[in-house]
Amino acid sequence: MRRAGRRSLLALTAALTLSGCGGQVAVQDWPTSELRTGGTLPAVELAPEEVHRYRLPLEAGSLLRLEVDQQGIDVELSLEGPDGSSLLQVDRPIGPGGLELVLAVTERAGDHQLVARGAAGGEPGRYQARIEALRPAGDDDRRNAQAYRRFTAAERSEPKEADRATNEREQALRIWRELGEEALAGEALNRLARAHNDQGRRREATELYTQAAAIFARLGDARWEAISRVGAGAQLLRQGEAEQALEQYALALPLAHQVGDRLTAASALQGLGQAHQTLGEPQTALDRYQEALDLLPEGERLLRALALHSMGVIHARFLHDEARGRELLLSARDAWPDGWERYKAPTLSQLGRLAFEQGDLPDARQHFEQALALRRKQDPCGSAVYLARLALVEDAERDRPAAEASLAEALATVSAQGCPRSEPTVYLLAGELAVRQGEPAGARRQYQRCAELFLAQGDRLGAAECLVGTSQAARAGGDRAAALLASRRAIEIVEGVRPTVLREDLRTSFFSGAKAAYDTRVDLLLEAGEEEDAWVVAEQARARVLRDQLAEAGAGLRQAADAGLVEREQQLQRRLNALETQRLGTSERSADKLRTLGEQIDAGVTELETVRGELRRASPRYAALADTEAGPSASLRRDLLDADTLLLELRLGEAGSTLFAVHHDGVEAFPLPPGKELEELARQASSWIQGLEWPGRHPEVLCQLARALLAPVAAQLETKRLVIVPDGGLETLSFAALPDPRATDCPTAPALVDSHEIVYLPSASTLAAQRRLLAGRQPAPGWLAVLADPVYSPNDPRVTAVLGPAAESTTRGRTAPVWRRLPRSADEAAAIAAGVPASRARVALGFEASRQTVLGGALTGYRILHFATHGLLDAERPLLSSLALSQLDERGQPVEGGLAAHEIYDLDLPAELVVLSACETALGRQVAGEGLVSGLPRAFLYAGAARVVVSLWAVEDHSTRDLMERFYRGLLRERQPPGLALAEAQRSLLREGRPPAQWAGFVLLGDWRPLPPFSP
């Protein structure tokens, strides 16, 4: 009696809870005409937590089999007897779609109630109820209904009742197999698989999910088949079988899409992302995670948090973009829903890893200890990783006994528990700890084990990380052969992953992080005296993304692409331009608006990069180029360099740097001071070079820098041409202004440009790629096109001249222009064009110096393009660096005036030379290994320019005009090669006593060979 009373009380409590807001829920009668097999109710609307009740007068001993078709809302069902007791409670794990099933045999005659309640969260939806069967029950019906009741009750059991629940499910499975209830048997297999997963029995869970999927495939139940295949994929991933997991997720995704199951589709996409991540395909993984996020409804926090976490890991660990990774991980930490705090542990661990790498030991310790507190008991495998990371913190805090104890526990756990996903990471961390403790032999063993485990799982990037560690440990232990072998294998993996990273921004960060693999091999080859091989490997890693861009430039991406993708690219470009215009016109005092615009611009750049990645993916020619594009070889120097050219390639390092002196006949390598020392000297030297208060003699810091960089090759400086491949903080140094190291009195020594023409390259191999791309190109018929002196202001006299008396009223109240006029640039244009036949030149001044002139194709017929205007540098978003062209048209109406780098990429400019006579057009974001990622010069090189003249700092209008007049005199009248013409122009200003700030800021980037002959 006490038990019955308690059941009635629970039923009453449930009814009051379901009623919502304290009100009673009206009970509707199930229509008498529909109280039969096949009886169906019209679809009705249901909101989250709303309750509907239906009265069903049923005879004793009746079989009721009733289905509820969920349409956009998760419906929780219960069936109550005439006395209010609960006969059945059902909520299948299928989300807001598919069929819920009520299966029961009535014991008493009377009015039963079907209760339908909208699950909390989510959006309103609809449902439709249908009686599949209503008839007197037989013995098999009773067995069936009893099995279903016990099966659904097991779903609500407590964790401590797990064994009993498993037993109930197994009995239900046996009965349903005997009765031929295949769909219910498949559901039981699915739920048993989840139970085995919860208990860590991965193999058994995989087999059960696979059996369930086979049943649902046979029945044509796409929803349940997709759910089961997602479950199988998850188990395979946890066992380190990424290829097999990929297959299951790939089968599940179209099935989920077919039935409109967004949650299962998002789960499949999340799993696909994890599989691709494990297989060393970070670009594809990120794409799948983003697709999962886009599918999820706003209220679905669990999968959202998981996707954000996964994206954060890729950015932070594999793409080495720590800032973006941390941002995503913090978003994931805050997105984990209440009740799921324990799943925050991996996110906290990743945040701890970032804190440790930044030297913040207290923050790192706090994150690792929080992760352990959340998951140590429930997830020993994951906790082993947290312990190993904590060991690194403890060692850094000089608590070696604690570090050794934490690591020992971590190693014991992965050994005893069977942790295929965690084990290689623990060995990787063990190797790092051994390195910190000065034990190279132990580190080598741990790294080797780590690489073996990652390779067995197909995790190429994980294996590469371990192989780099193996190489460094072997080198420290004196085993050079093993170190070279491991470094070679690591580089092979990086090169294999490269074609899968389609977005340029991601590839840039990916290669910056992979630089350690190349650096280790270069150091090993230098130690062995194999200087040319060392240079070849250094070249292989340098400016790699730019080299790929040049290979891509001839692939015809847009000609063969889907028109919808091309249109999407253009829409994004227009949107980015509009946002950037808004940003430039927003006051710095409007911090919130600027922050919002910045976020929108970042999202737009990311989407544009993604669309361009899809264009590459769709291009068969690009795929072939990406797979076969040749790297540098020992013949590179012979193909590029003549007897008059010396290539000086700098490689900055933490402990020491290297200068490669490369000439036609060989390569020599010279040790230099550490990179930080050289960069500090370069910073101080650049301050003097760019300053207007030039002392008339070389300051001591320039002498120090020149000796540090060039003294080792002083004897080789007889050549007339120096090709500089700078690195790090030396990228923005004007080598032309350095004192010649051969002079005995440095302060009065001639500048290096006095006896040399100086050319810059991102790398020698990029020039080789460019020459291959442009080989055989016919010179354009026109000689010179100049855009200068754009119109920026409505108060410009040229505007008032056009509008006349109406100008004042038309322009009143307009925002002040961002740019000031450059009136001397018109003189510059006239002086330049004076050396060219009128029929071979085009000079676009004022209103005509416009974005439309460039984008409309007017420049495609000219060999030399000269832009005398302002430049806008965006170091963080190189694609948004731009040239400022006319902002008003001939009617005085505002027009889009910025020509962004991302638009220049789409142009076809068969130009032999592009001159950007604007401020800081050479500058950009410094990326390890890639060099100076500068948007404008790279964009023009991609668009077809053979070489670009750019500026290293803000150039003064008057001196720029003088320099350019002399440069073009040498180029066009005296037919000098561009490097020599620039050097002669700089020398002439130098000999007039002009300070370096007025002539040393412009550099030639690219091919130094003469331009094709100019014919009348």
Side-chain angles (χ1 to χ4, degrees):
M1 289 298 293
R2 290 181 63 186
R3 183 176 298 173
R6 184 168 181 267
R7 187 167 58 238
S8 297
L9 178 61
L10 288 172
L12 175 62
T13 302
L16 290 173
T17 302
L18 293 173
S19 66
C21 301
Q24 287 293 323
V25 177
V27 181
Q28 307 174 54
D29 287 325
W30 190 283
T32 304
S33 61
E34 299 298 326
L35 196 64
R36 57 178 176 80
T37 299
T40 306
L41 294 183
V44 294
E45 302 287 338
L46 184 68
E49 300 191 70
E50 183 182 0
V51 177
H52 293 171
R53 286 178 170 270
Y54 299 93
R55 184 182 295 110
L56 292 92
L58 301 174
E59 298 293 331
S62 297
L63 168 70
L64 175 66
R65 191 162 187 154
L66 184 147
E67 292 180 339
V68 171
D69 182 14
Q70 305 172 116
Q71 301 169 14
I73 187 166
D74 187 6
V75 183
E76 300 168 351
L77 296 176
S78 62
L79 183 66
E80 297 175 0
D83 61 352
S85 62
S86 176
L87 303 182
L88 189 69
Q89 294 182 42
V90 181
D91 184 19
R92 284 171 155 172
I94 52 177
L99 298 176
E100 292 285 4
L101 174 66
V102 171
L103 175 59
V105 172
T106 60
E107 297 299 328
R108 298 173 57 185
D111 290 341
H112 292 65
Q113 286 195 21
L114 174 69
V115 182
R117 178 184 185 271
E123 300 292 330
R126 296 159 61 89
Y127 69 91
Q128 187 169 32
R130 175 180 178 274
I131 297 177
E132 184 185 359
L134 180 59
R135 54 177 171 76
D139 290 342
D140 285 348
D141 294 328
R142 293 181 184 278
R143 291 179 67 207
N144 197 4
Q146 180 65 14
Y148 193 66
R149 177 184 173 90
R150 297 173 71 171
F151 177 80
T152 54
E155 296 303 293
R156 303 188 302 278
S157 60
E158 298 292 331
K160 62 183 179 181
E161 300 173 308
D163 291 341
R164 183 188 63 80
T166 297
N167 184 57
E168 297 285 8
R169 294 181 183 113
E170 289 174 343
Q171 290 189 42
L173 174 63
R174 178 179 54 79
I175 290 169
W176 287 333
R177 279 174 166 166
E178 290 174 1
L179 297 177
E181 288 277 4
E182 282 199 285
L184 289 175
E187 187 174 346
L189 286 166
N190 184 283
R191 301 305 292 155
L192 280 167
R194 288 190 62 177
H196 281 293
N197 167 62
D198 292 342
Q199 295 167 13
R201 296 195 288 270
R202 311 294 185 201
R203 292 287 177 193
E204 295 88 338
T206 305
E207 177 59 29
L208 292 170
Y209 275 127
T210 304
Q211 290 179 30
I215 289 175
F216 293 123
R218 188 164 59 250
L219 296 175
D221 191 330
R223 183 183 302 276
W224 273 102
E225 183 185 351
I227 291 170
S228 299
R229 293 201 183 280
V230 166
Q235 299 310 310
L236 290 164
L237 267 182
R238 292 187 180 104
Q239 295 167 63
E241 300 175 19
E243 291 280 6
Q244 295 88 331
L246 197 68
E247 180 180 350
Q248 292 297 320
Y249 287 125
L251 289 170
L253 183 59
L255 295 170
H257 281 315
Q258 175 186 325
V259 296
D261 187 344
R262 294 173 63 188
L263 286 178
T264 301
S267 298
L269 286 164
Q270 173 70 26
L272 284 168
Q274 291 176 313
H276 283 293
Q277 179 177 332
T278 299
L279 294 171
E281 299 170 2
Q283 166 78 73
T284 306
L286 273 182
D287 292 345
R288 299 296 86 80
Y289 293 143
Q290 186 60 57
E291 289 173 34
L293 276 176
D294 293 342
L295 269 182
L296 292 172
E298 195 62 37
E300 177 48 57
R301 295 182 61 190
L302 185 60
L303 280 175
R304 182 173 299 278
L306 185 58
L308 289 168
H309 167 87
S310 302
M311 294 170 75
V313 171
I314 286 184
H315 276 281
R317 181 184 171 196
F318 298 115
L319 298 177
H320 308 279
D321 184 351
E322 286 78 10
R324 179 60 176 153
R326 180 177 176 80
E327 178 185 341
L328 287 162
L329 289 166
L330 288 172
S331 296
R333 183 197 63 186
D334 297 339
W336 289 110
D338 295 339
W340 295 85
E341 286 84 357
R342 64 188 184 280
Y343 288 93
K344 285 184 182 179
T347 305
L348 293 170
S349 176
Q350 290 295 327
L351 288 168
R353 183 180 67 84
L354 288 175
F356 177 74
E357 290 174 355
Q358 293 162 6
D360 189 344
L361 299 182
D363 191 39
R365 171 180 280 278
Q366 181 181 8
H367 278 107
F368 296 141
E369 289 179 344
Q370 286 177 346
L372 283 167
L374 289 172
R375 296 289 286 169
R376 195 162 193 163
K377 291 182 179 179
Q378 299 94 334
D379 182 14
C381 289
S383 295
V385 175
Y386 315 152
L387 277 166
R389 294 198 188 283
L390 181 60
L392 288 172
V393 174
E394 291 166 336
D395 183 76
E397 294 173 337
R398 300 184 179 178
D399 189 349
R400 185 162 183 171
E404 292 178 347
S406 294
L407 181 63
E409 183 181 348
L411 289 168
T413 299
V414 295
S415 176
Q417 295 284 336
C419 306
R421 294 188 69 191
S422 300
E423 189 174 12
T425 302
V426 170
Y427 280 109
L428 171 64
L429 297 169
E432 292 181 19
L433 184 61
V435 169
R436 293 178 63 88
Q437 295 179 346
E439 300 173 359
R444 181 175 172 181
R445 287 194 300 273
Q446 306 287 23
Y447 282 131
Q448 285 176 328
R449 180 61 176 151
C450 155
E452 292 167 1
L453 291 169
F454 272 131
L455 285 171
Q457 296 176 11
D459 188 338
R460 294 182 289 172
L461 291 179
E465 192 174 2
C466 300
L467 286 166
V468 171
T470 302
S471 180
Q472 293 170 342
R475 176 189 176 195
D479 190 343
R480 193 176 69 85
L484 281 168
L485 176 61
S487 68
R488 179 176 61 78
R489 291 176 64 198
I491 290 173
E492 287 172 351
I493 289 174
V494 170
E495 292 294 327
V497 171
R498 176 181 64 89
T500 72
V501 185
L502 297 172
R503 271 177 43 188
E504 288 173 11
D505 58 337
L506 298 183
R507 189 180 296 186
T508 298
S509 56
F510 169 71
F511 269 107
S512 73
K515 187 172 180 290
Y518 297 92
D519 282 347
T520 300
R521 187 163 183 81
V522 170
D523 288 339
L524 285 163
L525 291 167
L526 287 174
E527 289 171 3
E530 299 173 18
E531 295 177 343
E532 181 155 13
D533 288 344
W535 174 67
V536 167
V537 175
E539 268 289 315
Q540 188 179 5
R542 190 184 290 268
R544 189 54 185 274
V545 175
L546 177 57
R547 194 163 91 230
D548 284 348
Q549 286 175 329
L550 293 173
E552 169 194 324
L557 300 186
R558 286 155 192 82
Q559 291 85 336
D562 176 75
L565 266 181
V566 175
E567 173 60 24
R568 180 61 181 149
E569 179 190 34
Q570 294 169 349
Q571 289 174 353
L572 286 166
Q573 289 177 314
R574 291 192 291 269
R575 181 167 177 266
L576 277 172
N577 290 340
L579 289 169
E580 184 68 358
T581 300
Q582 289 183 51
R583 187 180 71 84
L584 291 174
T586 300
S587 168
E588 292 183 6
R589 293 190 296 271
S590 303
D592 290 343
K593 184 177 180 181
L594 283 172
R595 182 169 53 252
T596 299
L597 286 170
E599 291 171 353
Q600 292 173 336
I601 288 170
D602 286 339
V605 170
T606 296
E607 191 170 356
L608 178 62
E609 291 277 19
T610 300
V611 168
R612 287 183 165 169
E614 288 303 314
L615 288 170
R616 295 181 188 99
R617 194 195 307 275
S619 168
R621 187 176 173 192
Y622 175 77
L625 283 169
D627 287 338
T628 62
E629 202 271 338
S633 65
S635 64
L636 181 64
R637 59 179 169 76
R638 296 191 295 273
D639 296 337
L640 292 183
L641 306 178
D642 56 31
D644 290 328
T645 303
L646 174 65
L647 185 144
L648 300 177
E649 184 161 326
L650 291 141
R651 171 178 170 264
L652 301 186
E654 185 175 345
S657 304
T658 307
L659 172 64
F660 290 104
V662 185
H663 42 84
H664 180 75
D665 297 323
V667 178
E668 292 180 88
F670 301 94
L672 297 183
K676 288 191 181 299
E677 292 182 21
L678 292 175
E679 288 181 314
E680 177 56 25
L681 283 174
R683 186 190 64 77
Q684 296 178 33
S686 293
S687 179
W688 276 107
I689 293 171
Q690 297 176 32
L692 296 178
E693 298 182 2
W694 181 251
R697 51 196 289 126
H698 298 296
E700 176 57 25
V701 69
L702 264 71
C703 294
Q704 292 178 29
L705 182 61
R707 285 193 294 269
L709 293 176
L710 301 174
V713 292
Q716 302 182 40
L717 293 183
E718 298 302 323
T719 57
K720 69 177 185 180
R721 181 183 301 110
L722 298 181
V723 179
I724 309 295
V725 182
D727 192 17
L730 304 181
E731 301 266 5
T732 56
L733 174 68
S734 173
F735 279 76
L738 291 180
D740 192 319
R742 294 171 295 176
T744 55
D745 181 32
C746 178
T748 61
L752 201 60
V753 73
D754 203 50
S755 54
H756 296 85
E757 65 176 270
I758 298 173
V759 181
Y760 285 59
L761 287 179
S763 71
S765 51
T766 58
L767 178 61
Q770 187 185 39
R771 286 185 176 178
R772 286 196 300 271
L773 174 67
L774 302 182
R777 184 174 71 178
Q778 292 300 310
W783 290 11
L784 173 70
V786 183
L787 279 80
D789 195 14
V791 180
Y792 299 129
S793 170
N795 300 317
D796 191 305
R798 293 170 291 183
V799 177
T800 56
V802 170
L803 297 181
E808 183 178 351
S809 60
T810 302
T811 61
R812 187 183 296 120
R814 286 191 184 167
T815 304
V818 175
W819 309 107
R820 62 174 178 83
R821 185 182 178 186
L822 296 171
R824 292 186 186 276
S825 67
D827 299 335
E828 180 182 322
I832 293 169
V836 178
S839 62
R840 297 299 183 99
R842 173 169 183 170
V843 179
L845 302 176
F847 299 113
E848 195 183 359
S850 68
R851 179 171 174 269
Q852 184 53 43
T853 297
V854 180
L855 298 182
L859 305 185
T860 57
Y862 295 91
R863 303 181 191 184
I864 302 174
L865 306 180
H866 184 95
F867 294 85
T869 180
H870 288 292
L872 177 64
L873 167 70
D874 193 324
E876 290 306 311
R877 312 178 190 95
L879 284 179
L880 295 185
S881 293
S882 61
L883 295 173
L885 302 177
S886 287
Q887 296 181 333
L888 295 102
D889 64 14
E890 292 83 349
R891 302 184 306 277
Q893 297 300 309
V895 293
E896 177 64 53
L899 179 65
H902 62 79
E903 296 173 300
I904 298 169
Y905 272 94
D906 292 342
L907 298 176
D908 181 11
L909 298 175
E912 300 301 326
L913 172 67
V914 173
V915 178
L916 302 179
S917 182
C919 297
E920 301 180 329
T921 49
L923 303 189
R925 178 163 55 97
Q926 183 60 240
V927 179
E930 192 59 25
L932 201 63
V933 181
S934 45
L936 291 170
R938 285 194 174 208
F940 278 108
L941 292 172
Y942 182 94
R947 52 190 70 77
V948 187
V949 170
V950 289
S951 58
L952 295 172
W953 55 76
V955 290
E956 189 267 325
D957 198 13
H958 178 79
S959 59
T960 298
R961 184 198 66 185
D962 291 347
L963 179 71
M964 288 300 163
E965 286 180 17
R966 301 175 197 206
F967 168 63
Y968 277 102
R969 186 185 305 131
L971 189 71
L972 297 174
R973 295 182 186 177
E974 301 173 20
R975 300 294 195 261
Q976 294 173 343
L980 178 59
L982 180 60
E984 289 287 4
Q986 291 173 327
R987 289 169 194 162
S988 68
L989 293 177
L990 169 63
R991 288 163 186 162
E992 292 176 6
R994 303 279 190 98
Q998 295 188 9
W999 55 263
F1002 283 97
V1003 298
L1004 175 69
L1005 179 69
D1007 204 337
W1008 56 82
R1009 295 181 300 181
L1011 302 185
F1014 293 95
S1015 56

